[in-house]
């Protein structure tokens, strides 16, 4: 279990180690082909800031070597904004007096068709954390409908037990995303004072349960801004390294959500600038050439346009962060405000103009059978 490894590390010691990295350590990290966790700390440290242009070039080269010049597009479909947790940074928090909504089967069908009409062939299902209202019984009801329209299904829902993940896998779910929010145990408690999510260790062990259940792809990450973003990123890298070694049959992705405005908004404890976010993304790519790196519509159009060539492999487009947002109830309350509201068609054109190929469905499906009989699909075949 990752928990036993995590407990061997001290947050403050790792923070000091990162901020004490030297220019020489950064240069050594950049010179290596295989980089360690200590190298990762050097690359996310303040000492690496002067080397950002060089890091960006190396990151671009490493990404193209592994993923080619392709960018996968994705969109989240929110099933519900019901939530039984109090989270200081989330618009769906139980203590926010907002209209609550959970999609019926008929409403879900409208949403699915609206997303599919935009060109998508895979879907990310998202809910608040309300076990009784949007738990396994709800998923059992809705997943067959989703499978009629999308071959690849990803989910970002409340942490579940291992048996539940095994059942979701049997029902056609390929990918599970679960973010620790922050790896700082004490601050985690401050931001999650009520609800099942307040159990830090249960959430920390969630990727282990997903891995043991044999889910094909696991997504992790930290919410940048809840605590020191560099230290949170180190622990996320530690977590990924453990997961890759333990559940080597699975694939992995990392996301970079920054705190965004919402009802009852929280000011970030640790602000990460655009330049620092680029540094972080490049550091991740130089640390791990295989992991998928994802960018959401939380970020500005200008930032997202510029990051396409620097290490990202998937990017959301046309996203709605409210249940019914695509067709049923567009004006319902969002979980957080998006910054890039451009349509998927416009984003796809931006990707092409950058010299890359937009991909409209998860390529992993083709790698495991699918229409191409197990051969790696060319971009023009799946775009």
């Amino acid at each position: 279990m990752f928990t036993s490894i995590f407990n061997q590390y001290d947050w403050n010691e790792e923070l000091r180690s990162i901020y004490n990295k030297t220019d020489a350590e950064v240069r050594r990290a950049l010179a290596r082909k295989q980089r360690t966790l200590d190298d990762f700390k050097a690359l996310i440290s303040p000492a690496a800031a002067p080397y950002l242009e060089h890091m960006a070039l190396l990151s671009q080269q490493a990404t193209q070597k592994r993923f080619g010049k392709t960018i996968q597009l994705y969109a989240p479909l929110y099933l519900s904004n019901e939530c039984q947790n109090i989270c200081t940074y989330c618009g769906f928090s139980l203590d926010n007096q907002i209209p609550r909504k959970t999609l019926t089967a008929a409403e879900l069908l409208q949403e699915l068709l609206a997303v599919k009409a935009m060109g998508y062939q895979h879907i990310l299902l998202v809910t608040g954390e309300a076990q009784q209202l949007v738990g396994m019984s709800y998923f059992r009801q809705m997943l067959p409908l989703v499978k009629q329209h999308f071959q690849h299904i990803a989910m970002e829902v409340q942490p579940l037990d291992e048996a539940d993940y095994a059942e979701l896998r049997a029902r056609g779910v390929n990918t599970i995303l679960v973010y620790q929010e922050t790896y700082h145990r004490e601050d985690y408690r401050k931001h999650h004072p009520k609800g099942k999510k307040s159990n830090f260790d249960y959430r920390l062990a969630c990727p282990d349960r997903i891995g043991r259940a044999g889910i094909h792809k696991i997504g992790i990450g930290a919410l940048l801004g809840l605590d020191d973003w560099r230290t949170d990123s180190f622990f996320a890298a530690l977590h990924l390294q453990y997961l890759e070694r333990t559940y080597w049959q699975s694939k992995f992705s990392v996301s970079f959500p920054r705190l965004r405005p919402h009802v009852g908004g929280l000011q970030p404890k640790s602000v990460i600038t655009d330049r620092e976010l680029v540094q972080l993304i490049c550091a991740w790519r130089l640390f791990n050439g295989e992991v998928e790196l994802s960018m959401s519509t939380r970020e500005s159009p200008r930032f997202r346009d510029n990051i396409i060539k620097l290490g990202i492999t998937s990017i959301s487009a046309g996203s709605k962060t409210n249940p019914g947002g695509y067709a049923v109830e567009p004006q319902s309350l969002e979980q957080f405000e998006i910054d890039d509201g451009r349509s998927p068609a416009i984003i796809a054109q931006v990707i092409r103009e950058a010299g890359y190929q937009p991909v409209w469905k998860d390529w992993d499906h083709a790698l495991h059978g699918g229409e191409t009989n197990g051969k790696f699909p060319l971009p023009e075949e799946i775009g």
Side-chain angles (χ1 to χ4, degrees):
M1 294 280 287
F2 176 67
T3 305
S4 61
I5 295 174
F6 175 81
N7 289 336
Q8 298 174 26
Y9 288 79
D10 179 82
W11 174 279
N12 291 326
E13 288 182 6
E14 299 307 324
L15 184 150
R16 286 191 292 271
S17 173
I18 293 167
Y19 282 86
N20 287 334
K21 289 298 180 185
T22 65
D23 181 86
E25 288 175 296
V26 173
R27 286 188 279 108
R28 280 197 296 269
L30 289 171
R32 291 193 175 114
K33 298 298 183 183
Q34 299 294 324
R35 298 178 179 92
T36 65
L37 276 167
D38 198 59
D39 292 329
F40 181 73
K41 287 196 287 187
L43 294 175
I44 62 174
S45 73
Y51 296 90
L52 182 56
E53 186 173 345
H54 185 48
M55 289 176 62
L57 177 61
L58 293 177
S59 177
Q60 180 187 61
Q61 292 171 347
T63 305
Q64 289 185 11
K65 180 179 180 181
R66 168 61 181 84
F67 296 93
K69 300 184 74 173
T70 60
I71 300 289
Q72 184 189 83
L73 293 166
Y74 73 93
L77 195 163
Y78 278 67
L79 301 172
S80 176
N81 64 2
E82 294 281 357
C83 194
Q84 299 303 309
N85 297 315
I86 292 180
C87 302
T88 61
Y89 50 83
C90 182
F92 291 173
S93 182
L94 179 64
D95 56 345
N96 283 338
Q97 301 302 309
I98 63 171
R100 302 289 176 170
K101 182 174 183 60
T102 299
L103 298 181
T104 65
E107 291 171 334
L108 174 58
L109 178 59
Q110 291 183 61
E111 293 289 288
L112 291 169
L113 294 177
V115 173
K116 197 167 186 178
M118 292 190 290
Y120 289 107
Q121 298 182 52
H122 62 114
I123 192 72
L124 167 61
L125 304 177
V126 186
T127 71
E129 300 194 12
Q131 185 70 31
Q132 298 304 314
L133 293 171
V134 283
M136 287 301 297
S137 60
Y138 180 80
F139 301 149
R140 292 184 189 108
Q141 178 187 359
M142 298 304 177
L143 281 173
L145 178 59
V146 178
K147 276 191 65 65
Q148 291 177 27
H149 299 278
F150 292 92
Q151 295 178 340
H152 187 281
I153 302 173
M155 296 185 75
E156 183 182 341
V157 301
Q158 68 271 19
L160 301 168
D161 293 337
E162 182 180 337
D164 295 328
Y165 288 125
E167 181 179 343
L168 290 177
R169 180 192 178 199
R171 292 179 179 275
V173 175
N174 306 85
T175 300
I176 298 289
L177 311 178
V178 59
Y179 306 125
Q180 187 60 29
E181 315 298 14
T182 178
Y183 288 85
H184 191 287
R185 187 183 291 272
E186 289 73 23
D187 273 15
Y188 182 96
R189 189 178 301 115
K190 295 176 185 176
H191 292 296
H192 307 96
K194 182 176 180 180
K196 191 172 182 179
K197 194 171 180 177
S198 62
N199 188 334
F200 178 91
D201 288 318
Y202 184 76
R203 194 172 190 90
L204 188 67
C206 189
D208 272 291
R209 297 192 297 275
I210 299 169
R212 289 196 300 267
I215 294 292
H216 175 57
K217 188 190 298 183
I218 304 170
I220 66 169
L223 182 54
L224 304 176
L226 279 187
D227 214 291
D228 180 77
W229 65 264
R230 291 183 170 93
T231 312
D232 258 329
S233 297
F234 163 75
F235 279 102
L238 176 70
H239 204 167
L240 177 67
Q241 184 180 81
Y242 160 83
L243 291 169
E244 284 189 325
R245 292 173 176 176
T246 308
Y247 308 105
W248 52 268
Q249 302 95 330
S250 296
K251 298 183 72 65
F252 298 90
S253 68
V254 173
S255 295
F256 306 91
R258 284 196 280 191
L259 279 176
R260 293 289 300 152
H262 68 278
V263 172
L266 173 76
Q267 293 301 312
K269 178 179 178 179
S270 171
V271 175
I272 177 172
T273 66
D274 284 359
R275 185 177 177 86
E276 288 169 339
L277 183 53
V278 172
Q279 178 185 347
L280 177 60
I281 291 169
C282 293
W284 267 105
R285 174 57 66 220
L286 298 180
F287 172 64
N288 190 311
E290 295 291 322
V291 68
E292 297 179 16
L293 302 180
S294 179
M295 178 60 60
S296 78
T297 51
R298 291 173 182 255
E299 301 302 332
S300 70
R302 182 174 179 272
F303 183 87
R304 281 161 42 98
D305 290 355
N306 290 328
I307 203 67
I308 286 172
K309 296 182 178 181
L310 301 184
I312 290 295
T313 59
S314 65
I315 191 168
S316 58
S319 301
K320 304 296 182 183
T321 67
N322 48 323
Y326 294 103
V328 174
E329 195 171 341
Q331 301 307 312
S332 64
L333 184 73
E334 297 178 320
Q335 186 183 25
F336 57 86
E337 294 179 14
I338 64 172
D339 200 345
D340 189 350
R342 293 174 295 176
S343 70
I346 292 175
I347 299 298
Q349 184 59 34
V350 169
I351 292 171
R352 293 188 188 97
E353 290 174 354
Y356 284 65
Q357 178 71 30
V359 176
W360 293 90
K361 72 178 178 184
D362 192 290
W363 44 64
D364 290 332
H365 177 78
L367 286 175
H368 289 75
E371 306 93 325
T372 57
N373 297 318
K375 296 185 294 183
F376 192 91
L378 298 174
E380 59 268 22
E381 294 174 339
I382 60 177

